[in-house]
Amino acid sequence: MPTSRLVPGRYPAPGSSQIADAIRERRGARGLTPLDGTLLHVPPVAQGWNSLLGAIRTKGNLPGDVRELMILRVAAHNHAAFEWIHHEHVGRDAGLTTAQLLVVRDTSSLPKDTGVFSALQLSALTFAHESTTAVKVSMATTQALKADLQNNEDLLVEAAAVVATYNMVSRFLVSLDVAGMSDELVPWPADVQEHKVPLPDSPEHYIYAKSYTVSPNAPWLVFCNSLLTDTTMWSFLLPYLLAPPRSFNILLHDQRGHGKSKSPSSPPCTIPLLAQDVALVLKALSIPKVHAVIGVSQGGATALSFGTQFPTLTDNVVACDTSPKTPAGNKEAWESRIAVAKEKGMKGLADITAPRWFPDGSPLTKPRREAVDAMIESTSIEGFAIGANALMGYDLYEDGLEACTVRTLLVAGELDGGGNVAKGLRALKERWTAGNVDFVAIPGAGHLPMVDATDKFWEVLKGFLV
């Protein structure tokens, strides 16, 4: 996980610190978290914190759903993405639904009786909101919560302690940039499912996909990753995609050789084959047509190929920081990078890849750089070679790209390739006269603008999709 830009964190080895070991015991298999590492800069504070949070989380008598919706409201209001991420799944395990979590997350309005909460849940949520936003809670709100707690004064005190404690936690997290997340948006909830779609010619292998459903009737957006990344590359964009008005369902997938997909070494991976994998996933998930297929780099070529091969399956294509064909000399460049990976490992490859993707001038933050490095380093050398093979000799012109009439947006980070990627996509727009094609360059962005310039990328994407 990325680290704070302010405090590096201390993680004593097991057996070297009784305080750290006690925290490990409470955390279980998770071990020390970035929050623990930050607190351990002052061990007595970490010790007291561990005792207090252990009591709040595991030794009280409030119903779990009530406790967690109060914690999550605090996280949402205080912009504590780390806190939300670590408690949403706990809240779901305690029985909170996506519909309930959506109201908890939406701090633009006061909690209302929308029919999704019990009386106790609603009064607890209102109490948490007032305590967090105004500190002083109205007597009417407190009395309502007390009544819904069957006038149990002990539970009222516990509820107040939960809200107060997690206000402390969230303020600590955000002020010290724990896990490098102080700038990140708090996620919006959706119904999330994971899928493994078997490959027809090799059923023991599969494409891993992850769907985010906001409504069974909402149109779908499909995302195709860059080489050396996985579905988590879109995590910075997801809060924008899933925020109100929540217009789209989202489908992510790991391409062959990457992430959680399990891929055969043959047949050779090609751009048309990657596009066919997208069609395979759509068929398996019974999605007859999507609003847009969106990809970047290798995924951008995949999106263009999908529009060419399956024009009836999508209304739109968005292709970012890519090329319609393998540039001259690129085959040798990929062979060289595979050799680097074999010689220096994937970390060595990350050390030369990330600076190329995000050159000087890119607004990429240190935590996001660490996230990118982690994706690259987690890719196997074999998986990288499988994916790189697809980029060594493709030509979408030969595949009929110029005859494709699917509405298409070409996007380039202004800094990518020293401006050459944008130049190439402008040339594609001019050549693609039969198509319905537009081009936008994102100022100051690198090779993955949805990572280093997410807000600017979203404005471009939103304008096109709507």
Side-chain angles (χ1 to χ4, degrees):
M1 178 173 286
T3 56
S4 166
R5 288 162 284 186
L6 298 170
V7 181
R10 293 178 181 166
Y11 302 88
S16 65
S17 165
Q18 290 184 348
I19 293 174
D21 287 345
I23 297 173
R24 284 192 179 91
E25 183 178 355
R26 181 170 76 85
R27 294 292 191 194
R30 248 195 326 165
L32 297 179
T33 68
L35 172 58
D36 301 324
T38 306
L39 287 164
L40 281 164
H41 279 263
V42 188
V45 172
Q47 184 177 38
W49 191 291
N50 184 52
S51 178
L52 172 61
L53 271 293
I56 290 288
R57 285 287 304 278
T58 64
K59 297 181 180 179
N61 293 308
L62 270 179
D65 60 327
V66 173
R67 180 189 68 243
E68 294 303 320
L69 71 81
M70 297 174 87
I71 293 171
L72 288 164
R73 184 66 172 197
V74 170
H77 184 272
N78 291 343
H79 309 288
F82 183 95
E83 189 168 77
W84 180 281
I85 290 169
H86 283 79
H87 281 269
E88 180 182 341
H89 70 93
V90 180
R92 288 184 183 276
D93 289 345
L96 295 179
T97 66
T98 298
Q100 291 171 331
L101 289 166
L102 183 59
V103 177
V104 174
R105 171 61 181 84
D106 188 1
T107 58
S108 66
S109 61
L110 295 174
K112 297 177 182 177
D113 186 3
T114 57
V116 300
F117 294 114
S118 68
L120 173 56
Q121 288 172 330
L122 184 61
S123 61
L125 183 60
T126 304
F127 182 94
H129 177 86
E130 287 190 24
S131 180
T132 302
T133 59
V135 182
K136 183 176 175 61
V137 182
S138 70
M139 189 60 69
T141 295
T142 304
Q143 292 288 14
L145 176 58
K146 183 178 180 182
D148 289 330
L149 290 169
Q150 306 300 311
N151 291 311
N152 187 315
E153 295 172 345
D154 295 352
L155 291 179
L156 180 63
V157 170
E158 185 182 339
V162 167
V163 176
T165 298
Y166 277 91
N167 266 287
M168 173 188 73
V169 173
S170 63
R171 285 167 168 79
F172 186 86
L173 290 167
V174 175
S175 65
L176 291 181
D177 191 41
V178 171
M181 297 191 69
S182 62
D183 293 334
E184 302 301 341
L185 298 180
V186 175
W188 286 88
D191 290 328
V192 181
Q193 287 185 288
E194 296 181 289
H195 315 270
K196 293 180 179 179
V197 179
L199 298 178
D201 296 331
S202 184
E204 69 272 24
H205 298 101
Y206 52 82
I207 300 298
Y208 168 83
K210 193 171 186 178
S211 59
Y212 296 76
T213 304
V214 299
S215 166
N217 300 317
W220 285 87
L221 302 180
V222 180
F223 290 83
C224 305
N225 314 334
S226 163
L227 185 71
L228 291 169
T229 68
D230 54 45
T231 56
T232 62
M233 71 160 288
W234 303 102
S235 61
F236 309 113
L237 185 64
L238 276 174
Y240 295 87
L241 293 165
L242 297 175
R246 297 168 68 80
S247 302
F248 302 105
N249 297 325
I250 308 301
L251 179 60
L252 312 179
H253 74 287
D254 285 330
Q255 71 275 34
R256 294 182 184 227
H258 292 69
K260 297 180 181 179
S261 288
K262 185 178 180 182
S263 311
S265 56
S266 62
C269 185
T270 65
I271 295 297
L273 182 61
L274 293 175
Q276 291 160 22
D277 287 343
V278 175
L280 176 70
V281 172
L282 294 181
K283 182 177 181 181
L285 273 55
S286 300
I287 301 174
K289 189 175 186 178
V290 301
H291 186 64
V293 176
I294 302 159
V296 62
S297 191
Q298 181 189 70
T302 300
L304 291 173
S305 181
F306 185 90
T308 302
Q309 294 186 70
F310 306 102
T312 63
L313 298 187
T314 184
D315 291 325
N316 302 282
V317 165
V318 180
C320 311
D321 296 86
T322 191
S323 174
K325 61 182 293 185
T326 300
N330 224 241
K331 182 177 186 296
E332 293 75 19
W334 287 118
E335 290 172 343
S336 174
R337 290 165 192 158
I338 292 172
V340 168
K342 290 179 177 178
E343 178 186 352
K344 299 183 178 180
M346 295 305 289
K347 185 181 186 310
L349 185 65
D351 290 341
I352 63 172
T353 299
R356 179 168 54 84
W357 284 358
F358 306 103
D360 290 343
S362 164
L364 186 75
T365 63
K366 178 176 178 286
R368 292 195 180 188
R369 166 63 191 271
E370 292 175 350
V372 169
D373 286 348
M375 283 190 286
I376 296 173
E377 292 172 26
S378 68
T379 306
S380 69
I381 294 175
E382 295 76 13
F384 169 49
I386 288 172
N389 184 81
L391 295 171
M392 288 186 187
Y394 73 95
D395 190 335
L396 298 180
Y397 291 129
E398 290 186 355
D399 296 339
L401 176 64
E402 291 173 278
C404 178
T405 57
V406 175
R407 181 171 174 257
T408 299
L409 176 65
L410 306 174
V411 181
E414 185 181 55
L415 303 178
D416 194 11
N420 288 327
V421 174
K423 182 179 178 180
L425 289 178
R426 282 193 186 95
L428 171 58
K429 177 185 182 301
E430 296 303 317
R431 175 171 171 172
W432 198 347
T433 55
N436 180 4
V437 187
D438 203 357
F439 168 78
V440 176
I442 298 182
H447 185 59
L448 305 181
M450 61 292 302
V451 174
D452 69 343
T454 313
D455 52 348
K456 293 179 182 179
F457 178 78
W458 171 238
E459 287 303 313
V460 170
L461 183 62
K462 178 173 64 172
F464 177 75
L465 294 177
V466 175

